[in-house]
């Protein structure tokens, strides 16, 4: 079979994170669950903790990156991990 990974909180979840707090924006995100129920597709919910420790991220304080991400429907933000590269830091997840 095939497996697909989804990030249901999307752009809303990306721009609510901080170094010390993990936030999941799921309150109004029910489209994936409805689609899975209507098609009979099995869903295995999962969450990985400590992602904010694996990567650091920078967002502009004016909200331009969030606005641009919503307009382009693509996640546009600056992040880095180990050695300043897009490689996650060694943390327990």
């Amino acid at each position: 079979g095939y497996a697909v990974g989804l990030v249901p909180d999307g752009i809303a979840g990306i721009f609510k994170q901080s170094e010390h707090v993990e936030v999941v924006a799921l309150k109004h995100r029910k489209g994936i669950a409805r689609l899975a129920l209507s098609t009979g597709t099995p869903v295995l919910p999962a969450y990985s903790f400590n992602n904010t420790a694996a990567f650091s991220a920078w967002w502009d304080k004016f909200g331009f990156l969030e606005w641009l991400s919503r307009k382009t429907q693509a996640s546009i933000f600056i992040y880095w991990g180990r050695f300043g590269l897009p490689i996650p830091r060694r943390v327990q997840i």
Side-chain angles (χ1 to χ4, degrees):
Y2 296 98
V4 176
L6 299 173
V7 181
D9 58 349
I11 293 170
I14 291 170
F15 291 96
K16 303 258 185 278
Q17 299 294 329
S18 74
E19 284 185 43
H20 309 290
V21 177
E22 294 206 22
V23 177
V24 180
L26 292 178
K27 187 173 184 180
H28 301 289
R29 308 279 177 162
K30 299 178 182 99
I32 293 171
R34 281 193 195 118
L35 182 62
L37 285 170
S38 68
T39 60
T41 305
V43 174
L44 177 63
Y47 181 78
S48 59
F49 292 91
N50 217 9
N51 288 318
T52 54
F55 290 102
S56 295
W58 176 84
W59 303 279
D60 63 308
K61 60 183 175 183
F62 304 109
F64 177 74
L65 290 178
E66 184 175 5
W67 174 84
L68 186 62
S69 294
R70 291 185 185 283
K71 289 294 179 191
T72 59
Q73 295 185 351
S75 303
I76 300 170
F77 63 103
I78 299 166
Y79 71 97
W80 63 94
R82 194 179 341 171
F83 312 119
L85 299 171
I87 300 170
R89 291 186 193 91
R90 297 182 70 121
V91 295
Q92 209 168 4
I93 295 184

